[in-house]
């Protein structure tokens, strides 16, 4: 498995995750306004750091595309929602990210059938698929579900419109 982004991006995300507090009230209201009620329920369960990151990604998408359709903004706000399945905090996520660079996918697949910390690591590394399942269950638009699944894939494997995918990926990398 590969790391989820270049080391500089991962370092910025780690340092940002140490800052206490969620998004501002203005950003929270803006985000919830772009989500279905079932999606908003998922978004509010994300960690403070994940919600701040999600708002930054969504605002970055809006900067790149201008006014974006609700499912695109929801895709930006919820692309990492699958991380909920693992229940890992910052230190656990760092460990899982390092594991991703050193363990074969078949090993991670076997961990997903077990219990304990290895299972949580497997769930974290499978967050795109976990997120897509949560979003499908929440009744999200197919584009929102697809982006949750595809956001770590190379562009040639995207099913979403490439202009939208590029805006989402670039904003996520900022």
């Amino acid at each position: 498995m590969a790391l989820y982004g270049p080391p500089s991006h991962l370092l910025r995300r780690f340092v940002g995750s140490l800052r206490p507090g969620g998004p501002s009230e203005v950003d929270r209201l803006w985000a919830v306004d772009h989500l279905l009620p079932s999606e908003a329920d998922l978004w509010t369960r994300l960690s403070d750091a994940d919600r701040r990151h999600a708002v930054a990604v969504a605002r970055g998408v809006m900067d790149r595309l201008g006014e974006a359709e609700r499912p695109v903004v929801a895709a930006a706000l919820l692309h990492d929602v699958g991380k909920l399945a693992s229940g890992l905090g910052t230190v656990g996520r760092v460990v899982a990210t390092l594991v991703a660079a050193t363990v074969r996918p078949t090993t991670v697949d076997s961990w997903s059938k077990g219990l304990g910390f290895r299972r949580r690591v497997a769930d974290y590394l499978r967050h795109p698929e976990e997120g897509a399942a949560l979003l499908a269950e929440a009744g999200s638009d197919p584009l929102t579900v697809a982006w949750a699944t595809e956001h770590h894939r190379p562009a040639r494997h995207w099913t979403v419109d490439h202009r939208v995918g590029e805006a989402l990926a670039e904003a996520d990398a900022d």
Side-chain angles (χ1 to χ4, degrees):
M1 302 190 103
L3 290 173
Y4 289 135
S8 61
H9 171 75
L10 296 173
L11 181 61
R12 279 195 317 274
R13 287 292 311 273
F14 171 71
V15 170
S17 72
L18 300 176
R19 191 180 107 220
S24 70
E25 184 64 9
V26 169
D27 282 342
R28 186 191 70 76
L29 292 171
W30 178 84
V32 169
D33 191 48
H34 286 85
L35 297 170
L36 302 172
S38 56
E39 293 172 334
D41 289 342
L42 290 170
W43 187 79
T44 59
R45 290 175 44 206
L46 291 170
S47 71
D48 289 346
D50 286 341
R51 285 183 291 120
R52 285 192 317 265
H53 169 68
V55 168
V57 172
R59 297 254 191 222
V61 167
M62 297 289 272
D63 289 346
R64 286 166 174 81
L65 295 178
E67 205 47 45
E69 294 180 13
R70 193 208 64 78
V72 174
V73 179
L77 290 167
L78 295 166
H79 69 282
D80 282 335
V81 75
K83 292 178 180 180
L84 288 171
S86 74
L88 292 176
T90 301
V91 173
R93 289 176 175 200
V94 169
V95 170
T97 300
L98 294 172
V99 165
T102 60
V103 175
R104 290 185 299 216
T106 54
T107 301
V108 173
D109 288 342
S110 72
W111 290 355
S112 68
K113 295 168 184 65
L115 299 171
F117 186 71
R118 286 183 179 174
R119 167 63 183 261
R120 293 170 70 191
V121 168
D123 288 347
Y124 180 78
L125 297 176
R126 294 177 51 252
H127 79 269
E129 294 81 10
E130 297 285 344
L134 287 170
L135 293 170
E137 186 177 316
S140 296
D141 187 90
L143 181 144
T144 307
V145 175
W147 188 248
T149 304
E150 299 169 9
H151 74 277
H152 286 296
R153 292 181 183 170
R156 68 183 178 277
H157 296 292
W158 295 344
T159 62
V160 302
D161 176 276
H162 277 252
R163 183 175 152 271
V164 170
E166 287 170 6
L168 286 159
E170 289 171 7
D172 191 19
D174 284 348

